[in-house]
DNA sequence: GCCTTTAGATTACACTCATGATCTTAGAAG
DNA sequence: CTTCTAAGATCATGAGTGTAATCTAAAGGC
């Protein structure tokens, strides 16, 4: 099979980016091959380089896509609650829940990509922009950055200790601490 | 060359573990091959499986070694300062310094391995034990776990945004927040 | 001094992966 | 309707990697 309509091709490309953004967060950039990504949307690796310059380019788009989804989620939280002061505690509880810990693929890109990007400078601009946006949503200035650090650190530690009782203790401790930080 | 004395072999094995613990923290478990580790101590990969059952076994030992070094460092901090209440602020300042951010190989294993172990359950027991020890040093109970989350999160975010001005902002914001958390 | 043992070197095997050349076929333009 | 084009399939390539068999020479026990 081959040669779909332009609209279909554009839709396929978007599905690749979205699926990649989930796979990369869940399994890490290194653990996910180009073939894995293409298979996840029911295609073969052959057409990949017709749409993307390299795997690195896809990582960049997938990162931006993941942050974009996160910011949509945050905006929706503001809408669902009576003002930002009510939305922030709600974010803390969902962000540091066992469910969020166990679902990195649909979870926070700040946490999902931190481990990979701490080593590789290639995507830091896109990542740094996302971090600024997320911290800015929490609170302006230092407060937002510090609170985001606590959220991301706790989520990563909870994931890396999942299965041990410490994991839940970390989540609980950080939920309390995050609330205190923005008082 | 071959067949060194038993004492030499033991020393070589230890050098492999120590070098691996640095390389893994710096470049990630996946980016460092067995051959890389062996070359870093001036040997070839041939002898590796005479000393270790697998790469995974080395990762486990390297993790334990890294945490052990961290705890030695923390104990030394207690000795260098007038009591634990003075050592903790000193840790905050050194832990969240640009120098620590830029030297992951010799830095905190809680941060250095978090990204890798969040995905792979294989070494979580060793990691969880180290986390407990580090948090216990900071403060007992939830306080220590929350403060450690902030430290680790800020360090990882600062690394993943290194090169951008946000990186320094994160370090500064988290230094203030960490001190507040243990008040 | 001889013999067995074994740390480390050499080499090989079976995979995986990013990249890309080539082929196929159906959309798009005339 | 014909022709050109390009999305996606198939297959190839070259580099890297974990594991391990085999080789070697010196260590360590007798």
């Amino acid at each position: 099979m081959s040669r779909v309509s332009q609209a279909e091709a554009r839709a396929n490309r978007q599905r690749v980016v979205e699926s990649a953004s989930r796979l990369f967060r869940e399994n890490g950039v290194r653990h996910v091959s180009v073939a894995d990504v293409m298979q996840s949307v029911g295609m073969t690796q052959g057409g990949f380089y017709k749409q993307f310059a390299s795997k690195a380019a896809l990582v960049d788009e997938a990162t931006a896509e993941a942050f974009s989804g996160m910011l949509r989620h945050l905006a929706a939280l503001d809408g669902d609650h009576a003002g930002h002061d009510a939305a922030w505690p709600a974010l803390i509880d969902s962000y540091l829940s066992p469910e969020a810990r166990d679902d990195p693929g649909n979870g926070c890109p700040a946490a999902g990509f931190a481990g990979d990007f701490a080593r590789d400078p290639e995507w830091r601009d896109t990542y740094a922009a996302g971090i600024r946006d997320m911290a800015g949503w929490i609170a302006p200035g230092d407060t937002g950055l510090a609170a985001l650090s606590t959220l991301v650190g706790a989520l990563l530690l909870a994931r890396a200790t999942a299965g041990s009782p410490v994991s839940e203790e970390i989540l609980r401790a950080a939920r309390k601490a995050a609330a205190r930080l923005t008082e």
Side-chain angles (χ1 to χ4, degrees), chain A:
Chain A
M1 268 157 255
S2 67
R3 196 67 213 267
V4 298
S5 77
Q6 291 180 347
E8 232 176 311
R10 236 177 303 127
N12 284 342
R13 189 185 195 283
Q14 182 59 20
R15 283 171 54 228
V16 169
V17 173
E18 280 165 16
S19 182
S21 112
R22 251 175 277 117
L23 287 171
F24 287 152
R25 274 178 281 176
E26 186 165 349
N27 303 111
V29 169
R30 277 291 273 213
H31 279 266
V32 177
S33 69
V34 168
D36 290 335
V37 173
M38 296 305 277
Q39 266 177 29
S40 76
V41 298
M43 304 204 298
T44 64
Q45 66 224 35
F48 180 80
Y49 289 90
K50 291 274 159 57
Q51 295 292 340
F52 302 95
S54 63
K55 183 186 179 183
L58 173 63
V59 174
D60 200 69
E61 282 197 50
T63 303
E65 165 68 31
F67 272 113
S68 161
M70 185 54 160
L71 291 169
R72 277 195 303 274
H73 174 66
L74 293 180
L77 269 185
D78 275 335
D80 290 347
H81 292 80
H84 188 68
D85 287 356
W88 163 234
L91 175 71
I92 296 178
D93 282 344
S94 65
Y95 192 105
L96 295 177
S97 67
E99 293 75 35
R101 174 196 62 193
D102 298 335
D103 189 18
N106 296 301
C108 175
F113 289 110
D116 288 319
F117 297 175
R119 271 86 172 228
D120 209 320
E122 184 142 20
W123 306 283
R124 285 194 186 151
D125 287 349
T126 305
Y127 186 79
I131 294 299
R132 255 193 220 285
D133 290 341
M134 283 191 64
W137 181 89
I138 296 174
D142 283 1
T143 308
L145 287 172
L148 181 59
S149 297
T150 304
L151 292 186
V152 169
L155 190 57
L156 281 170
L157 288 179
R159 282 176 183 163
T161 58
S164 150
V166 218
S167 184
E168 271 79 22
E169 294 173 34
I170 291 167
L171 292 178
R172 188 164 40 78
R175 280 197 297 268
K176 281 199 297 184
R180 266 192 58 194
L181 280 176
T182 51
E183 270 169 14

